[in-house]
């Protein structure tokens, strides 16, 4: 079994490569749910949905999220009725959130609902939320705490960051199957996701960090930063705001406690020695997933770094 810790778009694209190398039934995805929030009375799980839509072949590849060729009639009507429309949800996407919300109100867990959606979409890999408990990533700004999605989407990460809080994480429990998957995995792969608000949120759930530290399978991470900047998102800004080095070396420090190998982009080859000075072996390769061939090649390289060949 191969476990992948996953955030949003970068993780989903990485998984498109992993699924071409590893039999899909042998893959378990542990997904960040710190981005989850309520919009228009509906429970939205952005990272879970990005992973599901991508693996089901439904995703809007240009955006990296949402359903391909979706329409936005409901959003247009909500806007006309005076609702804020900064968080856009397509009509087909809304069906997923209505379904999830209804089942949550009926007492089902997020894990059970995600498994049902996975089966209905014909997705091979198992997808586990990091927790069934409510955990929300909030950004501390001069005006107070705001939800990460508000920081990311509404403000387009153009506000001063004073800190990051994982609200509810201290009392949350890993979702059923999460710890067992880590313990039983031949390898744990950390996708090229934001180390603060995607992977960092997963690590904030009590028990997960310790399970990774004690894992028998090798833990291999892919840096989401290339040349000091992310392909997508605010990872570099958040790292600098938290007084961290916004490079592949800084990402390595985030995972140093349990990491066995760090994979960095060839543009950052000059940082390999600094990574290895931290006691972490470093693999340099092309990490930019510009097409399916590149995604598959990256997945194969990461798996080989974990000592596995397929």
């Amino acid at each position: 079994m191969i476990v992948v810790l996953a955030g949003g778009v970068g993780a989903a694209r990485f998984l498109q490569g992993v699924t071409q190398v590893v039999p899909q039934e042998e893959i378990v995805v542990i997904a960040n749910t710190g981005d989850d929030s309520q919009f228009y009375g509906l429970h939205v799980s952005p990272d879970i949905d990005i992973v599901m839509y991508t693996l089901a072949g439904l995703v809007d590849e240009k955006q990296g999220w949402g359903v391909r060729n979706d329409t936005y009639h409901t959003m247009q009507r909500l806007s006309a009725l005076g609702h804020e429309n900064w968080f856009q949800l397509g009509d087909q996407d809304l069906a997923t959130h209505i379904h999830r919300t209804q089942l949550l109100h009926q007492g089902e867990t997020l894990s059970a609902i995600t498994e049902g959606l996975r089966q209905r979409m014909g997705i091979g890999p198992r997808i586990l939320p990091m927790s069934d408990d409510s955990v929300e990533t909030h950004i501390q700004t001069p005006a107070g705490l705001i939800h990460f999605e508000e920081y990311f989407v509404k403000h387009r990460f153009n506000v001063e960051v004073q800190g990051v809080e994982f609200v509810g994480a201290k009392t949350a429990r890993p979702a059923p199957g999460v710890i067992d998957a880590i313990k039983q995995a031949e390898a744990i792969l950390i996708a090229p996701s934001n180390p603060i608000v995607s992977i960092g949120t997963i690590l904030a759930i009590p028990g997960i960090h310790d399970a990774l530290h004690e894992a028998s399978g090798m833990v291999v991470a892919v840096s989401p930063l290339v040349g000091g900047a992310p392909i997508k998102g605010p990872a570099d800004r958040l790292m600098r705001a938290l007084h961290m080095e916004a490079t592949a070396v800084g990402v390595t420090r985030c995972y140093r406690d349990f990491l066995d190998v760090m994979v960095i982009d060839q543009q950052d080859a000059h940082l390999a020695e600094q990574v290895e000075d931290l006691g972490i072996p470093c693999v340099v390769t092309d990490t930019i997933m510009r097409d399916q061939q590149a995604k598959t090649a990256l997945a194969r390289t990461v798996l080989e770094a974990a000592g596995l060949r397929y």
Side-chain angles (χ1 to χ4, degrees):
M1 178 170 55
I2 304 299
V3 167
V4 181
L5 270 57
V9 176
R13 289 174 176 166
F14 178 64
L15 283 162
Q16 286 179 308
V18 176
T19 55
Q20 295 301 304
V21 181
V22 180
Q24 295 197 23
E25 65 275 9
E26 296 178 12
I27 301 168
V28 177
V29 181
I30 299 174
N32 167 47
T33 58
D35 293 7
D36 286 25
S37 191
Q38 297 284 323
F39 293 99
Y40 318 109
L42 302 175
H43 184 107
V44 180
S45 295
D47 283 0
I48 288 177
D49 292 340
I50 288 170
V51 168
M52 287 197 304
Y53 292 155
T54 300
L55 294 181
L58 300 174
V59 78
D60 183 329
E61 288 280 2
K62 185 176 180 179
Q63 294 186 134
W65 52 269
V67 178
R68 184 174 57 253
N69 298 324
D70 210 347
T71 54
Y72 290 84
H73 301 303
T74 303
M75 287 300 308
Q76 290 163 7
R77 185 59 186 154
L78 283 169
S79 181
L81 293 171
H83 291 268
E84 290 190 339
N85 62 0
W86 57 266
F87 197 87
Q88 290 283 305
L89 297 170
D91 297 323
Q92 294 183 68
D93 193 20
L94 277 164
T96 299
H97 310 316
I98 292 168
H99 172 80
R100 178 186 291 118
T101 305
Q102 183 177 34
L103 293 179
L104 284 169
H105 287 167
Q106 292 173 3
E108 288 202 32
T109 64
L110 185 59
S111 293
I113 296 165
T114 302
E115 173 61 16
L117 286 166
R118 180 189 75 85
Q119 293 183 13
R120 287 178 181 273
M121 292 186 191
I123 298 167
R126 289 171 61 204
I127 302 172
L128 305 178
M130 65 186 194
S131 178
D132 282 333
D133 300 317
S134 176
V135 178
E136 292 188 359
T137 301
H138 285 216
I139 305 298
Q140 181 68 54
T141 74
L145 281 176
I146 60 174
H147 192 282
F148 173 73
E149 289 296 337
E150 186 174 352
Y151 163 77
F152 183 46
V153 181
K154 183 176 183 178
H155 296 291
R156 300 183 185 278
F157 42 90
N158 284 319
V159 295
E160 181 185 345
V161 176
Q162 298 176 326
V164 177
E165 293 188 25
F166 305 125
V167 179
K170 290 181 179 179
T171 57
R173 296 160 297 174
V178 166
I179 299 300
D180 286 343
I182 293 171
K183 287 181 177 179
Q184 296 168 15
E186 289 183 273
I188 301 102
L189 313 181
I190 301 179
S193 300
N194 191 311
I196 308 299
V197 295
S198 291
I199 306 303
T201 318
I202 297 173
L203 299 178
I205 305 300
I208 293 182
H209 181 283
D210 289 346
L212 290 166
H213 190 271
E214 298 165 3
S216 58
M218 291 186 69
V219 181
V220 181
V222 182
S223 173
L225 299 184
V226 177
I231 301 299
K232 186 179 180 68
D236 55 338
R237 298 188 186 202
L238 291 173
M239 292 178 75
R240 284 194 292 268
L242 299 178
H243 309 292
M244 301 167 66
E245 181 182 344
T247 68
V249 179
V251 176
T252 304
R253 290 195 180 101
C254 292
Y255 308 143
R256 185 181 180 183
D257 287 354
F258 51 77
L259 190 62
D260 292 305
V261 181
M262 189 71 192
V263 178
I264 68 175
D265 190 75
Q266 55 198 9
Q267 295 182 46
D268 294 319
H270 61 285
L271 298 175
E273 185 175 348
Q274 292 181 51
V275 170
E276 297 195 336
D277 284 345
L278 296 173
I280 307 297
C282 184
V283 173
V284 178
T285 190
D286 182 2
T287 65
I288 299 177
M289 297 176 286
R290 57 183 62 82
D291 54 31
Q292 185 58 54
Q293 183 178 357
K295 295 170 189 175
T296 303
L298 176 60
R300 198 176 300 278
T301 297
V302 174
L303 288 160
E304 288 176 358
L308 302 176
R309 291 185 179 275
Y310 285 86

